[in-house]
């Protein structure tokens, strides 16, 4: 027996019940995205490598799944081997002709003379021969550089100088034993190993290899493909463009609990408007989705990159900003003294710590917190711009009201420090649920600059589907109907009965009711068991008696209650 | 300015309007799958290579997109180089020790003697030294075979014999100039190039390369992953298992009109039942989906593998079956004489052609066609089994009735000849639409055998989403509401007005109405233009006057009509 098959680590199969639960979350997110005016786009699963590489830092580049060029690549390799043999033959031929030219011009005795210096000197005098030789080599190399496969081209490009050098060397420094055969051999000795070395170099250097044999890579997130989409389709898009995208992404991360190599991202972004009303609406969007999911009491944490820049100014060390926020974030756990100790250890001056003292007692309402920040950052122009933005967003959110979520200002929130330029968001699950952030986002002033379209501000949020699903599962918030299967199973007592059942089934389905028939005339117990295991609530029993009276016996499998019904009443009952 | 970005050939971006149209088709297919009792599963985008390779023939293997091992692979290469250096050092050390052993045993003069035969003879006598040498080499090789990277292991495995041979050779056939240094050099000369050659061999042999650097591949269809799923989860599945799956697949086919490298498949299959009622229901399912899409008058072509086997028996050449059906399929185009001429050219005997004469006048109702087949195939047991199956399916479909589709028996239908064992289906677009098949399927008696689970019959159908979308577009059958965007755009006249607007927007969204606000206080003309370009039917104008009177001015952008409404009436109006 064959080995039981498996799937790659970090990936998942989803059973019908799991798909149903995920779709439930997707559909609520999707309908809210649309209610808020976002429109769906979809981008290809793989992008050109140059679209993705270099966009996520060195670590990201490493974690991007690269796709081997296929089909064409395999052909090009076959083509390459042919090219390579042809290259070899041509070079040998050219050198053979040159040998004859040299012999004709100088006589064999010069070429095979013991006096190498003399030979070179004589050769060097004959510019025409030297030129002819150069031409001949150049012809070969150019021919193959232009007509051969990517791999041979690369070989020639990399080793052009060396190839010429070997040929020249061999021709000029002829030793006394040399003849045409030996020379050819030497050239072969010279450049064959070079090809080998190149191949070795390529094989053992993943970056070179992947460049030569991979031009595509799997999507790593939805933001970069979105930026690419906006730039590529800029003339068809009506800005401001509110798009949402729900698609899988792939990362070659080490798999661990709750972290997968394939997972869905659900992003909503607006591009082409600086209006802070977007931030207000995104907070409302979070609130609307989580409220509809029954996930009441999430905390939407907000911060602003400009606030962080202001703090960096105040502590006088922008390179210490992460150390500062990481330490400050531990206030609850290690207390004020612990935090200060850590800050000092990280090289933040005592003086700086004194300046930011208000952050150690950063409590109260958002309004009070903002007032404290305004005091603290009074000297920083950028910091005060951040205070202004925060004020607008928080005041409007408060005035318009949230359904079940809480908005909180968290100055330790420093996600996406490298790209966010304004608001920063993160959503924490309701208190009591041990789970990292279930959503995040922010504003980046230059979303599409990487693809050459300047001055396009973007702001967006993302929902962490897998974690949201885990939280909903833990809190038992999935409605029972989510995993609903067929409404009724028609039992199968043979072809005549089955045909009679199928007539009712057709009718029921036309009325939009999910029903099915047990396909085989199996033992009745087995059929009931099937309904039970599948979680189907009703069975319809059709025997001779029912057929004679033109009725259907509907059995409630939970209560055991059974009723004989006309087709009309059956439809009514199962609707 | 950077180059305008692009996407890989054969892939597509989908704009909001395109996504909406595709989702419309998906949702109808999905709801019908569920009405017929099918449940969704999802499998990972990539599978282990061994799950996919060899399942689709040689052509298929070539067209499967392979994924470069990443992250770990890159580390393993670095590790490999380290291992390789270590291997080199250890082997040199071992040989150094051996050299000393040999010199101690025989004296330096023996090893460096001119008399090679004598040296070998002396060595050969000393079993202990020979054994020690073998052990030493074995230790090195085993150590690295067990502890090193995949690539070095493979090197050692492939070249084990050669490595030993070179070392032995070098040790035994010592020429008069040899000394320890020279010997080491020779060994290096011997096995270094071997590594190079291996790298060369790997680099230029795509199959070897992809095996070493790729363990995963993108899904090529949904059937093989489904079979894998069934076998892997056989203990959790309640059979018969009716599953549907709507996911993208990837093929490295040459892209052309209507053929893409990434496209969705929509499959419904039942596994674990031989009942022909499944075939009946699958015909109904096709009918139900296409009718609901408004695609009336599709032709569901049916055939049976056993009928084809019967015909092969009758023409006395099963290897000519494809030639036969291909020729017969041209009856409309080239006439009876043309078809017979082609058959003769393909080596089908005149006698055989006479026997199958009824197929040249294969018209009439399905019942009449089946009767002709029963006559023709009377001598073939398998053929008659096919007739019996066809009869059951067609009679029951006829009796239960179809909504808008036509069922037709087509004996030239020979798709999936290599795996289908019973019914074969194909759906043709309504007459007048030039389009290949828009769906297909069939029964395969041994769906999961490739993964070691025997006796699991499967039967299923597939919908060709891209082609269905093209047909619906051509026939203008997409409902206008499909691409519906927001219901109303609130114009933005400044922060105070915007805040007043946002209050209404929150209310409307809570009532499930899609509305949005223009984010910036831009010129009024630009804002109206935005609504127009986006296809938003209403604008809501909120100025000082409206705020004062606590109303909203709703403007119908098609008619220009404008009404001042309270929030309650606004909700009513936009619902």
């Amino acid at each position: 027996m064959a080995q039981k098959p498996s799937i790659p680590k970090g990936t998942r199969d989803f059973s019908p019940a799991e798909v149903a639960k995920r779709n439930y979350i997707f559909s609520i997110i999707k309908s809210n995205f649309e209610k808020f005016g976002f429109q769906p786009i979809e981008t290809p699963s793989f992008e050109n490598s140059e679209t993705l590489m270099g966009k996520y830092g060195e670590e990201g580049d490493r974690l991007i799944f690269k796709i081997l060029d296929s089909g064409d690549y395999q052909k090009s390799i076959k083509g390459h081997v042919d090219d390579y043999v042809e290259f070899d033959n041509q070079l040998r031929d050219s050198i053979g002709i040159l040998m004859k030219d040299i012999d004709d011009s100088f006589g064999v005795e010069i070429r095979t003379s013991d006096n190498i210096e003399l030979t070179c000197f004589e050769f060097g005098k004959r510019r025409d021969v030297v030129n002819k030789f150069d031409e001949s080599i150049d012809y070969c190399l150019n021919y193959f550089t232009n007509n051969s496969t990517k791999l041979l081209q690369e070989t020639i490009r990399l080793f052009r100088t060396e190839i010429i050098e070997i040929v020249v060397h061999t021709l000029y420094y002829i030793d006394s034993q040399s003849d045409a055969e030996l020379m050819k051999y030497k050239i072969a000795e010279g450049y064959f190993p070079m090809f080998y070395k190149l191949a070795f170099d390529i094989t053992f250097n993943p970056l070179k290899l992947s460049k030569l044999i991979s031009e595509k890579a799997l999507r790593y997130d939805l933001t970069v493909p979105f930026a690419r989409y906006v730039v590529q389709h800029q003339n068809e898009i009506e800005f401001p463009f509110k798009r949402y995208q729900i698609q899988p992404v792939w990362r070659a991360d080490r798999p661990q609990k709750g972290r997968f190599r394939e997972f869905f991202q659900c992003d909503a972004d607006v591009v082409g408007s600086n209006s802070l009303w977007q931030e207000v609406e995104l907070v409302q969007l979070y609130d609307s989705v989580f409220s509809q999911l029954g996930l009441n009491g999430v905390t939407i944490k907000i911060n602003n990159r400009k606030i962080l820049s202001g703090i960096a100014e105040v502590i006088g060390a922008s390179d210490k900003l992460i150390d500062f926020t990481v330490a400050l974030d531990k206030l609850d756990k290690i207390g004020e003294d612990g935090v200060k100790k850590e800050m000092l250890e990280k090289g933040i001056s005592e003086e700086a710590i004194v300046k930011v003292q208000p952050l150690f007692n950063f409590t109260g309402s958002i309004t009070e917190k903002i007032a404290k920040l305004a005091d603290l950052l009074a000297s920083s122009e950028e910091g005060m711009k951040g205070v202004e933005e925060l004020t607008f967003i928080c005041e409007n959110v408060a005035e318009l009201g949230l359904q079940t979520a809480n908005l909180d200002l968290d100055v330790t929130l420093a996600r996406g420090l490298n790209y966010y330029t304004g608001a920063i968001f993160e959503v924490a699950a309701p208190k009591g649920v041990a789970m990292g952030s279930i959503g995040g986002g922010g504003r980046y002033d230059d979303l599409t600059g990487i693809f050459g379209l300047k001055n396009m501000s973007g702001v967006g949020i993302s929902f962490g589907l897998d974690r949201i699903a885990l939280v909903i599962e833990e809190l038992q918030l999935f409605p029972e109907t989510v995993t609903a299967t067929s409404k009724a199973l028609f039992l199968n007592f043979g072809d005549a009965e089955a045909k009679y059942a199928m007539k009712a089934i057709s009718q029921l389905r036309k009325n939009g009711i999910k029903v099915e028939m047990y396909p085989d005339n199996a033992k009745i117990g087995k059929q009931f068991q099937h309904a039970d295991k599948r979680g189907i609530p009703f069975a319809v029993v059709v025997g001779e008696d029912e057929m004679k009276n033109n009725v259907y016996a509907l059995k409630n499998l939970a209560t055991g209650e059974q009723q004989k019904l006309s087709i009309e009443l059956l439809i009514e009952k199962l609707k």
Side-chain angles (χ1 to χ4, degrees), chain A:
Chain A
M1 173 151 163
Q3 215 194 328
K4 202 168 170 186
S6 63
I7 52 176
K9 61 178 179 177
T11 68
R12 292 165 287 176
D13 280 330
F14 295 104
S15 70
E18 288 163 334
V19 173
K21 286 177 180 175
R22 288 162 62 86
N23 283 347
Y24 164 76
I25 301 174
F26 282 136
S27 74
I28 286 180
I29 292 175
K30 210 181 122 169
S31 71
N32 277 284
F33 281 171
E34 295 188 352
K35 256 187 345 203
F36 278 73
F38 292 89
Q39 294 185 287
I41 68 160
E42 286 176 13
T43 63
S45 296
F46 45 75
E47 296 272 351
N48 291 322
S49 295
E50 68 252 34
T51 301
L52 304 184
M53 298 296 283
K55 308 301 191 300
Y56 307 100
E58 211 173 292
E59 173 78 353
D61 279 358
R62 217 169 56 74
L63 298 184
I64 290 172
F65 278 113
K66 284 121 200 139
I67 295 172
L68 258 167
D69 296 345
S70 61
D72 292 346
Y73 158 69
Q74 306 215 4
K75 266 187 199 145
S76 85
I77 282 291
K78 172 76 180 74
H80 170 87
V81 173
D82 293 348
D83 281 356
Y84 176 71
V85 170
E86 179 66 15
F87 176 72
D88 184 29
N89 288 337
Q90 286 236 8
L91 207 55
R92 281 169 194 247
D93 282 357
S94 297
I95 286 160
I97 293 165
L98 268 170
M99 298 305 296
K100 198 171 165 303
D101 277 354
I102 290 166
D103 290 350
D104 288 352
S105 303
F106 304 101
V108 181
E109 61 285 352
I110 289 286
R111 185 167 57 79
T112 57
S113 142
D114 270 359
N115 191 332
I116 294 167
E117 284 72 26
L118 175 68
T119 312
C120 290
F121 180 72
E122 288 293 332
F123 278 11
K125 281 201 299 190
R126 290 292 304 271
R127 250 302 109 199
D128 56 333
V129 176
V130 174
N131 287 347
K132 198 167 177 181
F133 165 78
D134 282 350
E135 269 168 33
S136 174
I137 295 287
D138 264 355
Y139 172 80
C140 278
L141 295 182
N142 284 331
Y143 175 81
F144 284 101
T145 304
N146 296 326
N147 295 287
S148 67
T149 60
K150 204 162 62 166
L151 201 52
L152 187 61
Q153 283 174 31
E154 180 67 2
T155 311
I156 293 171
R157 197 187 62 71
L158 282 174
F159 286 101
R160 190 185 176 92
T161 315
E162 284 89 341
I163 291 172
I164 294 180
E165 203 170 83
I166 284 171
V167 177
V168 173
H169 231 76
T170 314
L171 266 175
Y172 278 61
Y173 293 87
I174 303 156
D175 72 23
S176 54
Q177 286 87 44
S178 74
D179 60 11
E181 279 312 301
L182 180 59
M183 194 169 293
K184 280 185 189 177
Y185 175 70
K186 287 197 162 204
I187 290 162
E189 280 281 285
Y191 74 78
F192 270 96
M194 272 197 319
F195 276 96
Y196 286 147
K197 271 182 200 159
L198 175 81
F200 183 81
D201 188 35
I202 289 170
T203 313
F204 292 80
N205 183 326
L207 211 68
K208 276 191 193 165
L209 183 64
S210 69
K211 270 191 191 156
L212 280 174
I213 61 176
S214 160
E215 291 177 328
K216 294 179 286 295
L218 288 174
R219 189 167 50 214
Y220 183 81
D221 73 354
L222 300 179
T223 305
V224 169
F226 173 52
R228 194 265 311 144
Y229 179 97
V230 168
V231 177
Q232 192 175 330
H233 302 281
Q234 53 186 286
N235 297 325
E236 308 140 40
I237 292 172
E238 167 62 19
F239 294 98
F241 182 43
K242 298 174 83 167
R243 88 86 174 78
Y244 76 86
Q245 199 169 348
I246 300 178
Q247 290 194 282
V249 302
W250 296 268
R251 296 184 183 180
D253 251 326
R254 198 166 294 279
Q256 54 188 57
K257 197 173 175 325
R259 190 202 280 167
F260 304 98
R261 292 190 149 188
E262 172 175 41
F263 58 97
F264 268 80
Q265 287 195 334
C266 313
D267 283 19
D269 293 84
V270 193
V271 66
S273 164
N274 294 309
S275 165
L276 292 173
W277 283 109
Q278 310 291 5
E279 276 84 341
V280 174
E281 287 200 88
L282 291 172
V283 172
Q284 291 183 320
L285 177 54
Y286 267 140
D287 174 52
S288 185
V289 168
F290 288 119
S291 297
Q292 200 177 333
L293 285 170
L295 210 54
N296 298 340
V298 303
T299 299
I300 303 165
K301 296 189 252 177
I302 187 170
N303 194 11
N304 194 298
R305 179 66 175 90
K306 298 182 179 91
I307 297 286
L308 290 170
S309 299
I311 292 174
E313 269 184 57
V314 169
I315 62 172
S318 60
D319 59 322
K320 297 280 193 305
L321 187 54
I322 291 287
D323 290 333
F324 180 84
T325 56
V326 166
L328 189 60
D329 191 34
K330 295 180 186 162
L331 194 58
D332 281 351
K333 284 185 209 134
I334 60 176
E336 187 171 330
D337 289 346
V339 171
K340 286 184 176 167
K341 185 159 162 276
E342 182 170 325
M343 287 180 176
L344 287 169
E345 278 164 14
K346 294 286 182 180
I348 296 163
S349 71
E350 200 133 1
E351 194 192 351
I353 296 173
V354 170
K355 277 189 190 160
V356 298
Q357 181 62 37
L359 296 179
F360 291 97
N361 186 26
F362 201 63
T363 52
S365 68
I366 289 193
T367 317
E368 286 162 354
K369 284 184 177 177
I370 293 178
K372 282 184 190 175
L373 281 181
D375 257 10
L376 181 66
L377 303 177
S379 65
S380 160
E381 194 182 332
E382 200 174 358
M384 288 311 286
K385 183 85 184 65
V387 168
E388 196 185 305
E389 290 184 13
L390 267 179
T391 306
F392 183 93
I393 299 164
C394 297
E395 274 186 10
N396 280 299
V397 167
E399 195 161 333
L400 292 164
L402 294 177
Q403 296 176 56
T404 67
N406 311 303
L407 183 66
D408 191 24
L409 171 53
D410 180 353
V411 287
T412 67
L413 184 57
R415 61 184 289 149
L417 213 56
N418 295 328
Y419 42 94
Y420 288 141
T421 52
I424 304 173
F425 297 113
E426 194 169 279
V427 184
K431 284 191 181 67
V433 181
M435 179 65 68
S437 74
I438 56 175
R443 181 177 284 273
Y444 23 94
D445 276 343
D446 191 21
L447 173 63
T448 56
I450 40 171
F451 298 115
L453 182 63
K454 301 290 178 198
N455 300 320
M456 272 284 175
S457 184
V459 59
I461 57 172
S462 187
F463 289 81
L465 176 85
D466 289 306
R467 287 182 172 181
I468 293 172
L470 287 171
V471 173
I472 294 184
E473 190 74 73
E474 188 180 327
L475 299 177
Q476 301 184 309
L477 294 173
F478 281 115
E480 264 184 45
T481 51
V482 159
T483 55
T485 170
S486 291
K487 206 71 183 282
L489 179 74
F490 281 71
L491 304 192
N492 186 333
F493 291 92
D495 280 348
E497 290 85 350
K499 191 180 295 184
Y500 179 77
M502 283 299 294
K503 284 178 186 162
I505 287 172
S506 291
Q507 292 277 26
L508 287 158
R509 285 177 180 161
K510 272 180 201 147
N511 281 278
I513 301 163
K514 300 183 198 173
V515 284
E516 56 188 293
M517 179 176 76
Y518 194 86
D520 303 284
N521 178 8
K523 280 188 185 148
I524 183 95
K526 193 176 172 188
Q527 298 193 42
F528 272 120
Q529 206 176 39
H530 183 75
D532 182 47
K533 284 194 178 161
R534 291 272 312 284
I536 299 175
F538 291 97
V540 181
V541 186
V542 175
E544 253 177 65
D545 201 39
E546 282 80 11
M547 286 170 70
K548 211 165 57 195
N549 296 310
N550 207 21
V551 291
Y552 297 86
L554 180 70
K555 182 169 184 162
N556 182 322
L557 294 172
T559 63
E561 185 194 348
Q562 188 165 319
Q563 280 179 289
K564 295 203 178 183
L565 301 168
S566 68
I567 178 69
E568 291 77 18
L569 284 174
L570 189 65
I571 292 170
E572 202 57 43
K573 202 84 187 171
L574 291 176
K575 214 158 196 171

